[in-house]
Amino acid sequence: MSRYQQEFQHATQTPETFWAEQAKRIPWFTPPSTILSYDEHQHARWFGDGEMNISYAALDYHVEQGRGEQPAIYWDSPVTGKKATITYSEMRDRVAYFAGGLQALGVEKGDRVVIYMPMIPEALVAMFACARLGAIHSAVFGGFAPNELAVRIEDAQPKVVVAASCGVEVNKVLPYKPIIDHAIELSTHKPDACVVFQRKEHLAELGERDHDWAALVEKAPYAECMPVKGTDPLYVLYTSGTTGKPKGVVRDTAGYAVALAYSMEVIYDVEPGDVFFSASDVGWVVGHSYIVYAPLLRGCTTVVYEGKPVKTPDAGAFWRLIEEYKVKSFFTAPTAFRAIKKEDPDAKLLEQYDISSLKNLYLAGERLDPPTFHWLDDLLDVPVIDHWWQTETGWPIAANVPGLEPMPTKAGSATVPVPGFNVQILDRDGDQANAMEQGSVVIKQPMPPGCLVGVWGDSQRFHSAYMAAFPGYYLTGDGGYFDDEGYLFIMGRTDDVINVAGHRLSTGEMEEVVGAHPAVAECAVIGIHDELKGQLPVGLVIPKDGFDGDETTLENELIARVRDQIGPIACFKQVLVVNRLPKTRSGKILRKLLRNIADGKEFGVPSTIDDPTSLEDVHGAMRERSVGAADKATPV
Ligand code: COA
Ligand code: AMP
């Protein structure tokens, strides 16, 4: 039996002993005596009575172990032209004083703090400072509009909001304060205070509720680490579900720390002192796990990059960073490499850099499409590792495991389930699918440490979204299959979640925004294939009877609405006014059929369709307006 198989079996057959052993990877104030327990949904909880603090484990502990002078962070910001190196001891002190500042504002264990910050070291300082106090942070991605921020403030009820004065995108400075003020205005919950880190690129005007970060820290006491229970929440991270309201994924503390520490060895194959670069954003789960917590738990140096794969200044940016910081493990989304390939198809810019420090390249956030896999595989001398995971799981469910035993890669596959994740494929009736047969990808309980422990404030939603479909299993929402060698292929979502440039978005949420326009009678938003971003949303809209306005004006208003209410990151740029939408006789819009047409596939006319001519109408409209590959779609 291979090392991987042994480890997988051990984790699956005797999870308690396996994870009790892994728990030794992190420093505890009080080691756990209860390793595994179950909540009322029969969902696994880990290390409930252990006590630790993740800020201590990731910072203070390493300083005590002699890593104080090692860089914890390399900050590299081509959009501002700045760089900084912060050592472990500097980082610990910055975190401790900022935590003292939060304490002075009344933040205590269990309180929520919303963080709205770009890719600057202070974002990490704020997150670790919350963790130091046992407060629960909720970081929100800067590309979301005030309304999205308001929904999160309303749900998480933070005592304090921590923000930067601005974000900096390619050639534009985005003031954050108006976004925050607007969001707080929209929310019925009002935080007590807002701390603003002033950036030179744009100084925010501070109001009564606001505190200047620097002034707060200057007067703040040094805060020690508060012991928290293993299952106490570390953060709430909102992610798109199938309804209009985002789900607050709740992460515990100790299980997360143990899982991340384990993953850094078996999946990411890095040692303390190595440099780890994850080109994501602190607003996404990849940022939480592999920019902030995991690299520092492992004693690595994390690269915090405020830039893009292209245009800052060119498609050689990643190669430059790998050379400059001697990056050993690099992680990004396939869309980033599609953007690089588009601008530099022969990778000429790579010739300017020495990337020999790189040992493994990791891709996730969306399926690594075979053409991008082959481009990278031909170009680089290192393994190109597609790995699959979700906000909910917090760390990879399926991956290659070079730290245990490197496996041959297969284009289109995320390789094998990571030890701890008992992944199965179930058919509609809940029966196990055979090899090569597609079905719902589920994870059999107990899920390993590190995965979500609930949906913030909504136990029922946790149950209905994840646990109800197949009792005893967690529903991932993805479809896929195992091949006959046990390789897992993830083929896409089985719900209304779409993936735009590695960002998870809900078409249901966009439909709510579009449908709220006074001139719209009905609408459908579908995700269609896009060469660069993987998917893009397209809206199909039926105006109300008697609508006599200009269709182009209506379309533009709807585009502006989604941008204003969800944010530019939704990339909602195409709307079509149509007369009818294809529906079943019971009135359900045939979204899958619409997607197939837009993606240029062959499509059958389902027997359940109410009016087959509605399909011809929509297909005609899509062809005329060049939606996706609708001109190639053929009825069968
Ligand atoms: N704050 C504010 N606005 C933001 C933002 C942020 N943090 N990030 C993106 N936006 C805005 C952009 O400015 C753009 O606005 P525009 O419509 O006014 O131009 C819009 O959101 C879309 O941005 P983006 O998706 O970045 O598109 P792009 O065409 O500028 O760049 C890529 C394309 C592929 C280079 C880019 O999407 C990318 O780097 N993707 C990788 C994402 C990633 O790493 N995901 C990892 C998750 S694991
Ligand atoms: P997020 O919660 O934003 O990380 O998005 C999770 C979703 O992204 C998953 O449910 C998948 O649909 C998709 N995804 C992430 N990584 C991969 C991958 N390696 N292969 C296929 N799909 C992926």
Side-chain angles (χ1 to χ4, degrees), residues 236-408:
V236 179
L237 177 57
Y238 288 85
T239 189
S240 301
T242 50
T243 69
K245 193 173 172 233
K247 281 187 284 217
V249 165
V250 183
R251 188 88 57 216
D252 67 356
T253 305
Y256 187 50
V258 170
L260 294 182
Y262 175 69
S263 72
M264 288 304 271
E265 190 176 319
V266 300
I267 301 173
Y268 298 103
D269 199 16
V270 283
E271 302 291 330
D274 287 341
V275 180
F276 191 87
F277 174 24
S278 172
S280 178
D281 187 284
V282 290
W284 306 118
V285 68
V286 174
H288 281 63
S289 295
Y290 294 106
I291 294 173
V292 183
Y293 289 110
L296 300 191
L297 279 165
R298 183 73 174 145
C300 295
T301 304
T302 184
V303 178
V304 175
Y305 177 55
E306 191 181 28
K308 298 269 174 182
V310 293
K311 299 192 171 66
T312 56
D314 58 29
F318 285 166
W319 313 134
R320 194 262 301 164
L321 285 145
I322 294 169
E323 176 187 277
E324 190 164 334
Y325 300 111
K326 302 200 168 30
V327 172
K328 184 170 174 192
S329 269
F330 175 46
F331 180 164
T332 191
T335 188
F337 274 115
R338 288 198 297 271
I340 292 170
K341 186 170 106 184
K342 197 165 160 217
E343 301 221 342
D344 185 18
D346 300 321
K348 291 253 177 303
L349 290 164
L350 177 57
E351 290 162 18
Q352 298 174 19
Y353 301 99
D354 170 6
I355 61 158
S356 54
S357 62
L358 190 69
K359 292 288 170 288
N360 290 298
L361 168 65
Y362 297 85
L363 295 127
E366 57 177 319
R367 181 164 183 257
L368 173 57
D369 51 293
T372 308
F373 169 80
H374 289 301
W375 187 75
L376 287 164
D377 200 40
D378 292 345
L379 187 68
L380 304 173
D381 292 332
V382 302
V384 176
I385 298 178
D386 178 16
H387 61 329
W388 166 62
W389 52 300
Q390 317 182 306
T391 303
E392 287 86 345
T393 63
W395 65 295
I397 311 165
N400 209 324
V401 282
L404 268 181
E405 176 193 12
M407 298 193 187

Side-chain angles (χ1 to χ4, degrees), residues 141-144 169-170 172 174 176 279-281 284 286 307-310 331-333 335-336 339 364-365 500-503 532-533 563 567-571 573:
F141 178 63
F144 282 124
E169 280 287 289
V170 187
K172 60 185 171 194
L174 303 163
Y176 276 5
S280 178
D281 187 284
W284 306 118
V286 174
K308 298 269 174 182
V310 293
F331 180 164
T332 191
T335 188
V500 179
H503 305 132
L532 175 66
K533 298 197 174 182
R563 192 178 170 91
I569 204 68
C571 294
K573 294 191 173 159

Side-chain angles (χ1 to χ4, degrees), residues 89-128:
S89 55
E90 280 167 356
M91 186 64 186
R92 177 202 55 188
D93 292 350
R94 285 197 197 188
V95 167
Y97 284 112
F98 188 66
L102 288 177
Q103 248 172 349
L105 295 175
V107 174
E108 292 174 1
K109 186 174 172 200
D111 286 339
R112 273 80 58 213
V113 173
V114 161
I115 298 174
Y116 191 70
M117 297 187 100
M119 287 292 288
I120 54 176
E122 286 72 19
L124 283 76
V125 170
M127 289 163 86
F128 274 118

Side-chain angles (χ1 to χ4, degrees), residues 526-560:
I526 53 169
I528 69 164
H529 175 74
D530 179 71
E531 276 300 311
L532 175 66
K533 298 197 174 182
Q535 282 184 298
L536 279 179
V538 170
L540 299 159
V541 169
I542 305 177
K544 282 190 177 147
D545 282 351
F547 170 77
D548 58 0
D550 175 50
E551 286 187 3
T552 311
T553 308
L554 175 60
E555 289 173 4
N556 289 337
E557 279 174 16
L558 295 172
I559 289 169

